[in-house]
Amino acid sequence: MKTKIVTYGILFFCNLIPLQAKDYDYPFQNPSLPVEERVEDLISRLTLSEKVQMMKHQSPAVERLGVPAYNWWNEALHGVARTSEKVTVFPQAIGMAATFDTEALEKAAGMISEEGRALFNEDVREGKTGTIYRGLTYWTPNVNIFRDPRWGRGQETYGEDPYLTAKMGSAMVRGLEGDDPVYLKAVACAKHYAVHSGPEHNRHSFNAEVDAYDLWDTYLPAFRELVVKAKVHGVMCAYNRLDGQPCCGNNEILQNILRYQWKFNGYVTSDCGAINDFAHNHKTHADDMLAVSDAVLNGTDLECGNLYQLLEQGVNKGYLSEKDINVSLKRLFTILFKIGLFDGGDMSRNPYFSIGREVLECPAHKAQAYEMACKSMVLLKNEKNTLPLDLKKLKRIALIGPNADDPQTLLANYYGTPSEIITPLKSLQRRLEGKVEIDYMKGVDHVKKLDDGPSFQEIADRAKQSDVIVFVSGINANYEGEAGDAGAGGFAGFASGDRTTLQLPQVQLDLLKELKKTGRPLIIVNMSGSVMSFEWESQHADAIIQAWYGGQSAGDAITDVLLGIYNPSGRMPLTTYMKDEDLPAMEDYSMSNRTYRYFRGQVRYPFGYGLSYTSFKYEVCPADTVVETGKPITYSVKVTNTGKRDGDEVVQLYVSHSKQGTTERMPLCALKGFKRISLKKGESKIVSFVLSPEDLALVASSGILREKAGKADIYIGGGQPQQSQGVFYPLCIKGDVFQIN
């Protein structure tokens, strides 16, 4: 039976008169009703068979009710991904982490969701929803901890530190989802929950084992931040098992922690094919029907896959009830109503329906992609101020290397396609046309010599005729990435998307050694989603830039750093280890001797490290050195640009607790604050950090976060305590135990 619903409005003098009546077939179609009421009405009209089909990522239309089709699967890791449309592509996530700039990332995320909105809005108006990679439920950000630099998918994360990951991930969530009190601009999804960071080859059957300390100290903090503080609306459970239970059927993490402790009321989706793993790879369930029933009972609302139709059979056999199905449907439909799927593009209510195609690759978005690429560049070495290059002294630059003119490298993985991809070669040719000759030679492929290419001696002889050599080294997403997507596992140094060594591929090292013999200044610009050990390079190159996978404008960013148009200011979101032997086994998920927080050996370039073309001076401002537990404390520092160039500085605050009198595990030091600032030469700024009780607390062996009485050292500077320009002063904490759950 159809229901006629009349909408009303209030005019001047409070005269209540009917506006134009609009017929709705059902109350759930009426955008003037509360979302909760609309959701309940829709659920009440569906059959069990229809319900279970709508719990799959490809949710079909229900024509008898006028329910549109919707495909939940979409990606927006660093731009709207996998669409046939031309869109803006920002640097890969690990590169954006290197900016240490939450404001810039939030702005970029807002632009990404604008471009996705434009495409979704068109589909809604034209009644063409349901196509994969056109929806607004983005399965990003990836806030897994990059605990091992060999992990291929680590490039999708914000690095090895829980605090940095939490802050950058939260910025991504805020930018994607918008700030409207009723509607969502788009929907973010924190993945992969939880304890997931390789290896790739056995991720469908792997059982991650961690103790309570590492779980709460390393693997859960970023997820907690996104759920509790950033209010993310989606969570994706991981492929692996955690302590014997598949993550997508894990009562402890999905129900006890996520729903009960963190009060999460959004939706949970499986990773794609993860439910199939229960019976066929993990061998934890006798058959698929038991697997899907268990997944829903433990909180996985949506399946990316093709098994949830078996839920109907599970209900009929009594493994779960239709009420259990309705719980998940309520969460899923709430999301769809909040993006406006059922509103028919009504711009009078949803402010995001006004976004149109004009935002795709608009000038502001291109400018932000360039800015993010610039900010991501990390200057690792600059012997005798080799950089920036002095154009007055240059007539010819030898540009060599597998990534000097490889557009695909700049896009990384989970990428969209821009109208133009600016490689270093393209940029240098444009910027220096008529001024400096660019002599380009690819030299080698990423992992092998070129077929019928010149010998290394011939390449070196030609390069010697130039004033400087710029070698653009590295790998790309063909070699590191997701199992199945990274298809170069047959080459030495790579396996199923993961790396087996931290070294640059040997063929590139061999060519670099030949180029060094020319006596010309040797500059290495490295592109990768992880770190190289740089054993030979750090000793013999004159300058090294870590350029990541920089997106569509990476070439211009690299050129402008080389020429000094942009002063490099990126920081390493990862530790650069000296050698492969420094790393524990890949399958060992203990954080002992991993990342800067627990590694006790010598490193080549620490987490937080990065050089500049200018210099900075730090002066500590007076502050209390005593704080009671349960209360915040503020620390400030005066930062002055003492060099001859304008530049950005990333001010970092680290806390190191005293171990005296305790056997509790704790980090050597831990990042608890950072802020990127711009300073003109000679300019000073005061930077303040407010340390909350949570920031000063430590995780007990039981997993409980507690602030205890004791001493802690505070370091503020341009990097970690052992290598930074930072200064040290003590902080004494006195009082009773303060507990944070």
Side-chain angles (χ1 to χ4, degrees):
M1 178 178 178
K2 294 187 178 182
T3 303
K4 185 173 183 178
I5 300 170
V6 182
T7 58
Y8 293 88
I10 299 177
L11 300 182
F12 292 110
F13 309 112
C14 296
N15 292 323
L16 186 65
I17 62 172
L19 297 175
Q20 182 178 2
K22 182 174 182 179
D23 287 328
Y24 296 102
D25 291 342
Y26 308 102
F28 73 81
Q29 297 170 326
N30 182 6
S32 67
L33 295 177
V35 168
E36 295 80 3
E37 186 176 333
R38 299 174 73 189
V39 168
E40 293 292 349
D41 179 68
L42 176 54
I43 291 175
S44 72
R45 298 177 187 279
L46 296 169
T47 67
L48 177 59
S49 179
E50 290 168 338
K51 288 177 180 179
V52 300
Q53 290 292 338
M54 297 180 81
M55 293 172 66
K56 296 160 67 174
H57 78 273
Q58 178 62 71
S59 176
V62 182
E63 294 183 3
R64 68 181 184 85
L65 296 176
V67 173
Y70 184 77
N71 196 306
W72 289 78
W73 190 348
N74 208 347
E75 309 285 354
L77 183 63
H78 54 116
V80 178
R82 299 175 175 176
T83 175
S84 60
E85 304 280 354
K86 299 298 184 183
V87 294
T88 309
V89 179
F90 296 84
Q92 176 61 297
I94 194 68
M96 292 198 283
T99 70
F100 276 65
D101 192 335
T102 55
E103 293 179 3
L105 179 54
E106 183 174 343
K107 182 178 180 181
M111 293 174 171
I112 292 169
S113 63
E114 282 181 3
E115 297 197 3
R117 254 290 166 188
L119 303 178
F120 176 75
N121 289 347
E122 282 189 357
D123 288 356
V124 169
R125 295 189 188 104
E126 296 173 7
K128 297 179 180 179
T129 59
T131 303
I132 193 169
Y133 307 136
R134 295 282 290 199
L136 287 176
T137 41
Y138 295 123
W139 290 345
T140 193
N142 184 339
V143 290
N144 292 133
I145 297 301
F146 202 171
R147 65 183 176 94
D148 191 309
R150 295 169 294 194
W151 182 37
R153 295 192 73 179
Q155 61 177 289
E156 302 172 25
T157 76
Y158 300 112
E160 69 181 38
D161 180 66
Y163 184 88
L164 177 65
T165 299
K167 298 306 179 185
M168 299 301 279
S170 293
M172 189 73 175
V173 170
R174 292 192 301 270
L176 286 176
E177 296 198 340
D179 57 4
D180 188 80
V182 177
Y183 287 98
L184 289 166
K185 190 176 184 183
V187 188
C189 179
K191 68 182 187 184
H192 308 84
Y193 184 67
V195 194
H196 180 86
S197 53
E200 284 294 299
H201 75 93
N202 61 351
R203 61 184 179 163
H204 291 282
S205 59
F206 182 69
N207 180 38
E209 296 179 315
V210 296
D211 60 22
Y213 177 81
D214 283 338
L215 180 68
W216 288 94
D217 178 67
T218 295
Y219 295 110
L220 291 187
F223 285 101
R224 181 183 183 276
E225 180 99 3
L226 266 62
V227 169
V228 175
K229 297 181 181 179
K231 305 298 182 183
V232 69
H233 283 77
V235 169
M236 174 183 282
C237 47
Y239 285 123
N240 55 280
R241 280 173 287 154
L242 175 60
D243 298 329
Q245 261 194 313
C247 287
C248 291
N250 193 303
N251 181 73
E252 177 62 20
I253 63 171
L254 291 179
Q255 297 286 45
N256 183 27
I257 295 175
L258 185 63
R259 298 289 182 187
Y260 178 71
Q261 295 186 38
W262 295 348
K263 311 300 181 187
F264 178 65
N265 59 7
Y267 84 101
V268 173
T269 179
S270 76
D271 205 340
C272 297
I275 308 301
N276 181 74
D277 291 337
F278 287 23
H280 302 280
N281 294 312
H282 293 308
K283 310 293 185 183
T284 54
H285 293 72
D287 56 45
D288 289 332
M289 186 194 66
L290 288 171
V292 298
S293 300
D294 204 28
V296 171
L297 287 173
N298 283 292
T300 300
D301 306 304
L302 183 81
E303 182 206 12
C304 181
N306 194 30
L307 291 177
Y308 262 23
Q309 70 275 2
L310 297 176
L311 287 168
E312 185 174 5
Q313 185 180 352
V315 170
N316 292 334
K317 288 198 173 186
Y319 291 116
L320 75 169
S321 69
E322 190 165 354
K323 288 184 178 179
D324 297 317
I325 299 295
N326 292 345
V327 169
S328 288
L329 280 178
K330 184 174 181 179
R331 296 166 183 159
L332 296 173
F333 289 156
T334 296
I335 295 294
L336 297 182
F337 279 109
K338 284 188 174 182
I339 62 174
L341 179 66
F342 296 92
D343 292 358
D346 185 351
M347 288 190 292
S348 66
R349 296 181 182 276
N350 187 335
Y352 303 122
F353 268 132
S354 62
I355 298 173
R357 182 171 284 272
E358 67 278 356
V359 302
L360 300 179
E361 291 190 306
C362 67
H365 293 189
K366 290 182 178 180
Q368 186 68 9
Y370 162 77
E371 179 182 331
M372 294 297 286
C374 287
K375 288 183 173 182
S376 73
M377 300 292 157
V378 185
L379 180 62
L380 295 176
K381 182 181 180 182
N382 194 19
E383 193 78 16
K384 298 179 181 179
N385 294 320
T386 299
L387 296 176
L389 298 174
D390 187 349
L391 291 181
K392 297 178 181 178
K393 299 178 181 179
L394 291 181
K395 294 183 179 179
R396 185 172 180 175
I397 296 173
L399 181 66
I400 305 171
N403 282 329
D405 192 35
D406 187 339
Q408 197 64 31
T409 295
L410 307 187
L411 300 183
N413 70 352
Y414 285 87
Y415 60 87
T417 304
S419 296
E420 182 183 31
I421 305 171
I422 305 172
T423 64
L425 173 62
K426 182 181 289 187
S427 179
L428 282 166
Q429 288 175 334
R430 283 181 181 177
R431 300 288 181 95
L432 299 180
E433 184 178 8
K435 301 175 183 177
V436 177
E437 180 184 352
I438 306 301
D439 184 18
Y440 167 65
M441 295 173 278
K442 184 175 183 179
V444 293
D445 278 329
H446 292 97
V447 296
K448 62 180 181 178
K449 291 184 177 181
L450 297 173
D451 295 334
D452 301 321
S455 69
F456 287 178
Q457 183 62 57
E458 291 171 326
I459 295 170
D461 289 342
R462 182 169 151 186
K464 193 173 183 178
Q465 301 173 34
S466 296
D467 301 298
V468 64
I469 300 171
V470 177
F471 190 89
V472 189
S473 65
I475 50 181
N476 64 22
N478 289 330
Y479 301 94
E480 60 175 348
E482 189 168 6
D485 288 344
F491 290 99
F494 305 93
S496 298
D498 293 328
R499 297 167 61 193
T500 59
T501 177
L502 299 179
Q503 295 182 12
L504 197 66
Q506 189 61 47
V507 69
Q508 296 184 49
L509 275 173
D510 291 342
L511 179 52
L512 280 167
K513 291 175 181 178
E514 201 64 38
L515 293 173
K516 180 65 179 177
K517 296 176 184 177
T518 66
R520 296 292 180 263
L522 177 60
I523 299 166
I524 295 175
V525 178
N526 186 71
M527 295 183 187
S528 60
S530 51
V531 292
M532 301 293 173
S533 56
F534 289 135
E535 183 176 359
W536 182 90
E537 302 93 311
S538 64
Q539 299 175 53
H540 297 94
D542 295 283
I544 302 175
I545 296 170
Q546 176 62 35
W548 315 106
Y549 301 136
Q552 65 184 55
S553 299
D556 280 344
I558 290 167
T559 294
D560 289 350
V561 168
L562 291 173
L563 301 181
I565 297 170
Y566 189 89
N567 191 343
S569 51
R571 294 293 192 272
M572 293 299 291
L574 298 167
T575 298
T576 304
Y577 299 93
M578 302 289 281
K579 55 186 183 301
D580 296 340
E581 291 73 21
D582 289 335
L583 297 171
M586 182 75 159
E587 294 187 1
D588 180 1
Y589 265 73
S590 167
M591 291 305 296
S592 177
N593 219 35
R594 285 192 185 277
T595 75
Y596 81 95
R597 297 193 306 143
Y598 294 102
F599 184 70
R600 293 186 175 276
Q602 294 294 314
V603 302
R604 193 160 329 272
Y605 302 114
F607 172 92
Y609 177 86
L611 302 176
S612 172
Y613 295 153
T614 190
S615 57
F616 299 94
K617 177 183 177 182
Y618 284 78
E619 299 173 77
V620 177
C621 300
D624 292 334
T625 57
V626 177
V627 61
E628 298 294 327
T629 57
K631 295 183 180 179
I633 188 168
T634 300
Y635 278 91
S636 300
V637 65
K638 180 181 179 182
V639 187
T640 303
N641 183 343
T642 56
K644 298 180 180 179
R645 291 176 175 268
D646 300 344
D648 284 8
E649 173 70 334
V650 177
V651 186
Q652 303 162 53
L653 182 148
Y654 293 84
V655 176
S656 179
H657 290 266
S658 171
K659 291 192 174 182
Q660 186 174 358
T662 180
T663 59
E664 292 279 0
R665 291 155 64 186
M666 60 185 68
L668 300 171
C669 68
L671 181 71
K672 293 298 177 182
F674 62 90
K675 188 172 184 179
R676 187 184 184 107
I677 60 172
S678 297
L679 292 172
K680 297 186 178 299
K681 58 182 179 180
E683 184 183 5
S684 298
K685 285 185 179 178
I686 302 293
V687 179
S688 296
F689 297 97
V690 178
L691 291 175
S692 68
E694 184 177 345
D695 294 328
L696 295 172
L698 288 168
V699 173
S701 58
S702 63
I704 294 176
L705 188 63
R706 289 193 177 102
E707 186 185 1
K708 293 184 176 181
K711 291 183 178 181
D713 297 334
I714 305 297
Y715 299 88
I716 304 179
Q720 269 187 65
Q722 60 265 41
Q723 60 86 34
S724 76
Q725 309 157 51
V727 292
F728 154 80
Y729 48 102
L731 167 66
C732 298
I733 304 174
K734 296 182 179 180
D736 297 327
V737 172
F738 182 79
Q739 181 171 322
I740 305 173
N741 290 321

